[in-house]
Amino acid sequence: MNLKGRSFLTLKDFTSEEIGYLIDLAAELKDKKKKGITGSSLKGKNLALIFEKPSTRTRAAFTVASVDEGGHPEYLGRDDIQLGHKESVEDTARVLGRMFDGIEFRGYKQETVEKLAKYSGVPVWNGLTDSYHPTQILADFLTLKEHFGKLSGLKLVYVGDGRNNMANSLMIGSSKVGIHFTILAPKSLWPEKDLVDTCMTYANASGGTIKISDSLDAVAEADGIYTDVWCSMGEEDKVAERVEQLRPYQVNDELLKKTNKNSTVVLHCLPAVKGNEITEDVFERFADIIFDEAENRMHTIKAVMVATLGS
Ligand code: CP
Ligand code: NVA
């Protein structure tokens, strides 16, 4: 599989085989790291890490993954560079492309990460935008695969804001790899119809299914329940409204009973607001797998960089 020179902007651009390849490569790199074997795939490469929004996991993952493979990561925070204030995205992209070998971008508009890729001429990796969070999905899928031994055929239910970056990206990824995916959310927070239709075509090809529901019974038989904060970065003015809309959709013991299974796992991309989208008790019961998921951010991000830029 050759992904050299490719950007990683949304999972829509990747086939199920390519997604599977990145997950397997991440598992291999994880195994090597546990044995103390370091790589040199990014030796001599300079990597720009642009963050318009804050981050713990994504920043740490890109930094550690770069250094593990011999690369040099450079953090460029919102107030450190001219991007979006004194200089156009196109011009910043052309400057960074002359100096850096790869660029990570976390921020608001999907359009910005797409422009960076178009104008920089180097691989660009999406570390989260308002629309998508594709590197998170690779970590989630590696975690599910480690736990269940497979992805295709699993039933995964996302509970919460059904039109945020996580819901969108989980729907795209799941439909590509043959997962039976449900978004459980109040109707006012359902995903855009166009994206659902696109994912339906992916699901038809992969053997997966997509369901959008506002009924808590939708968690029946779920292998995995996934949740995320009720209010994403950049929407802080909507907290009160979201709490009101999503209160009935908390991941708690009552909801877990509705799975009619005791093998269901709970996933969370983190950071979590315990007491809102998930109870502290449920969070702590599933902490092992939730923090495996967090660790897997690093191994999967390493796989993306090695596959698209590594030697
Ligand atoms: N899950 C995730 O992207 O976490 P950070 O916001 O800490 O990067
Ligand atoms: N939906 C969340 C995800 C955080 C990783 C946000 O955008 O804030």
Side-chain angles (χ1 to χ4, degrees):
M1 181 83 51
N2 185 357
L3 301 180
K4 295 289 174 244
R6 296 262 301 270
S7 284
F8 191 78
L9 308 179
T10 158
L11 290 172
K12 284 195 251 181
D13 301 336
F14 289 78
T15 63
S16 65
E17 290 74 24
E18 288 168 342
I19 295 169
Y21 167 76
L22 288 169
I23 293 167
D24 291 346
L25 177 60
E28 195 185 309
L29 292 167
K30 180 173 182 175
D31 190 49
K32 278 193 179 150
K33 170 122 182 163
K34 303 275 173 201
K35 290 181 178 142
I37 305 167
T38 50
S40 55
S41 183
L42 299 174
K43 190 160 181 271
K45 309 277 190 206
N46 289 293
L47 312 160
L49 311 184
I50 306 176
F51 283 85
E52 278 183 347
K53 289 178 178 175
S55 164
T56 298
R57 278 143 289 270
T58 308
R59 176 181 178 175
F62 270 99
T63 305
V64 172
S66 306
V67 173
D68 275 358
E69 287 295 328
H72 167 78
E74 186 67 27
Y75 179 78
L76 305 171
R78 182 185 171 74
D79 300 322
D80 303 331
I81 55 172
Q82 316 280 18
L83 180 78
H85 318 287
K86 277 179 83 175
E87 192 169 56
S88 68
V89 178
E90 290 85 339
D91 288 358
T92 299
R94 285 182 284 184
V95 172
L96 296 181
R98 299 279 184 122
M99 300 188 194
F100 287 92
D101 302 287
I103 301 170
E104 177 276 353
F105 173 81
R106 161 170 291 199
Y108 295 88
K109 294 185 190 153
Q110 180 68 17
E111 192 193 349
T112 308
V113 78
E114 281 169 10
K115 275 191 189 164
L116 284 170
K118 184 170 172 193
Y119 291 94
S120 68
V122 298
V124 172
W125 309 296
N126 182 352
L128 178 148
T129 61
D130 292 343
S131 310
Y132 306 119
H133 195 7
T135 61
Q136 177 71 48
I137 309 310
L138 296 181
D140 302 336
F141 286 3
L142 173 60
T143 310
L144 284 170
K145 201 166 172 191
E146 285 171 342
H147 188 83
F148 291 105
K150 62 171 191 178
L151 291 174
S152 180
L154 291 180
K155 178 170 179 179
L156 180 64
V157 182
Y158 170 90
V159 190
D161 176 359
R163 26 109 283 161
N164 75 6
N165 41 21
M166 281 311 308
N168 289 344
S169 285
L170 278 170
M171 181 163 63
I172 298 166
S174 296
S175 59
K176 291 248 175 179
V177 303
I179 288 176
H180 300 295
F181 182 68
T182 300
I183 288 182
L184 170 54
K187 284 201 178 70
S188 54
L189 293 171
W190 281 10
E192 277 179 26
K193 188 178 176 304
D194 277 0
L195 183 62
V196 178
D197 290 347
T198 302
C199 291
M200 293 272 189
T201 65
Y202 301 151
N204 287 339
S206 70
T209 51
I210 304 284
K211 201 171 128 189
I212 317 293
S213 173
D214 62 355
S215 162
L216 299 183
D217 294 331
V219 299
E221 302 307 317
D223 297 299
I225 290 184
Y226 198 112
T227 192
D228 179 18
V229 288
W230 285 347
C231 204
S232 289
M233 288 179 274
E235 300 190 319
E236 286 75 10
D237 57 322
K238 299 238 166 37
V239 176
E241 186 188 327
R242 286 290 154 68
V243 170
E244 201 52 42
Q245 289 167 296
L246 286 164
R247 209 191 304 276
Y249 295 88
Q250 184 187 60
V251 177
N252 53 31
D253 279 318
E254 222 176 303
L255 186 75
L256 286 182
K257 275 196 204 109
K258 287 181 176 288
T259 61
N260 303 317
K261 269 187 167 178
N262 49 24
S263 57
T264 310
V265 297
V266 174
L267 298 179
H268 196 308
C269 55
L270 302 176
V273 183
K274 292 168 218 169
N276 272 7
E277 73 272 7
I278 190 164
T279 58
E280 176 129 28
D281 180 50
V282 170
F283 182 91
E284 289 305 330
R285 228 176 320 131
F286 291 94
D288 282 350
I289 192 161
I290 290 171
F291 290 103
D292 278 348
E293 205 185 342
E295 177 190 329
N296 284 340
R297 296 297 309 287
M298 200 283 284
H299 306 297
T300 45
I301 280 171
K302 190 187 280 177
V304 170
M305 290 196 291
V306 166
T308 57
L309 184 64
S311 53

